[in-house]
Amino acid sequence: MVSEHCDATGGDTSPLALKILVAGGFGVGKTTMVGAVSEIKPLRTEELLSQAGRSVDDTEGVDQKVTTTVAMDFGRITIRSGLSLYLFGTPGQDRFWFLWDELSQGALGAVVLADTRRLEDCFPAVDYFEHRHIPFVVAVNCFTGSRTYGAQDVSRALDLDGGTPVVLCDARDRDSGKEVLIRLVEYAGRMHTARLLDSVG
């Protein structure tokens, strides 16, 4: 998504808006991260968890969670002058996966949020982006009271491809979330450049 305008000196500038997905398992903090970093009021599609939903959604470890995303979250953040990110938070439950293909169209890359207490919950997102060759970083959301693991430990546990970044973060903190997004943009940029060079080499 690119829009052009003329600056005060009459030259053309091209502000760039990049599409980023924020994915991961149920209750991992996707809505929280989008809301924390967004410079606009985020769009949320949350609904209260019903008794019927609780029978299919694994709430172990997130017992206090009372709402769930049923379509997507949306926010925007300006990384620097001329570069903005449009953030799309995906729903975490399997029954909403039909939305992922639509949301991933045109995405530069993705953040896969992980909770070390429920690390297996992020395997589907990791597999999804690996199989579609969409660059992603794994951001370990450091929940209060959870055991801390190093980036290498998480990378080995998830059997990530070499070079896939793993970063520790606090999804509630704007600066922490922004650092994750910057790391993703840098990594995705390197991946896209390498693929372009391979295609013309």
Side-chain angles (χ1 to χ4, degrees), residues 135-137 162-165 182-192:
F136 68 94
V137 301
T164 301
I182 290 171
R183 185 80 176 271
L184 171 62
V185 170
E186 292 173 345
Y187 174 64
R190 292 195 301 270
M191 292 292 290
H192 285 292

Side-chain angles (χ1 to χ4, degrees), residues 22 30-44 73-79 85-88 171-175 177-178 181:
V22 180
K30 302 179 294 294
T31 298
T32 299
M33 172 174 273
V34 172
V37 301
S38 181
E39 63 198 18
I40 62 172
K41 183 178 180 180
L43 167 68
R44 292 177 172 160
D73 300 308
F74 174 78
R76 186 189 71 209
I77 179 174
T78 301
I79 296 296
L85 304 182
Y86 289 167
L87 308 176
F88 292 81
R172 302 166 299 180
D173 183 77
R174 176 180 170 83
D175 289 338
K178 187 174 180 179
L181 295 171

Side-chain angles (χ1 to χ4, degrees), residues 8-180:
T9 62
D12 287 337
T13 61
S14 300
L16 186 61
L18 304 174
K19 183 179 183 180
I20 302 294
L21 301 186
V22 180
F26 176 68
V28 77
K30 302 179 294 294
T31 298
T32 299
M33 172 174 273
V34 172
V37 301
S38 181
E39 63 198 18
I40 62 172
K41 183 178 180 180
L43 167 68
R44 292 177 172 160
T45 57
E46 289 195 305
E47 296 292 341
L48 289 172
L49 283 172
S50 65
Q51 284 304 116
R54 287 183 182 277
S55 68
V56 293
D57 294 329
D58 180 9
T59 57
E60 183 179 352
V62 287
D63 310 78
Q64 303 304 312
K65 186 172 176 61
V66 296
T67 61
T68 185
T69 299
V70 296
M72 68 174 185
D73 300 308
F74 174 78
R76 186 189 71 209
I77 179 174
T78 301
I79 296 296
R80 57 171 171 76
S81 178
L83 175 60
S84 297
L85 304 182
Y86 289 167
L87 308 176
F88 292 81
T90 66
Q93 301 96 313
D94 293 352
R95 64 184 184 278
F96 295 125
W97 270 58
F98 67 92
L99 295 169
W100 282 48
D101 287 338
E102 290 294 328
L103 290 175
S104 64
Q105 289 294 319
L108 174 77
V111 173
V112 176
L113 271 176
D115 177 354
T116 57
R117 302 169 302 177
R118 299 154 50 101
L119 195 59
E120 66 280 1
D121 288 0
C122 73
F123 274 113
V126 168
D127 289 343
Y128 182 91
F129 297 121
E130 282 185 344
H131 285 109
R132 288 161 180 78
H133 306 290
I134 297 173
F136 68 94
V137 301
V138 173
V140 179
N141 193 6
C142 298
F143 287 89
T144 303
S146 63
R147 180 178 172 185
T148 301
Y149 293 87
Q152 289 297 325
D153 295 327
V154 173
S155 181
R156 282 193 295 269
L158 294 176
D159 193 26
L160 297 176
D161 292 338
T164 301
V166 176
V167 294
L168 306 183
C169 74
D170 181 344
R172 302 166 299 180
D173 183 77
R174 176 180 170 83
D175 289 338
S176 180
K178 187 174 180 179
E179 285 302 314
V180 171

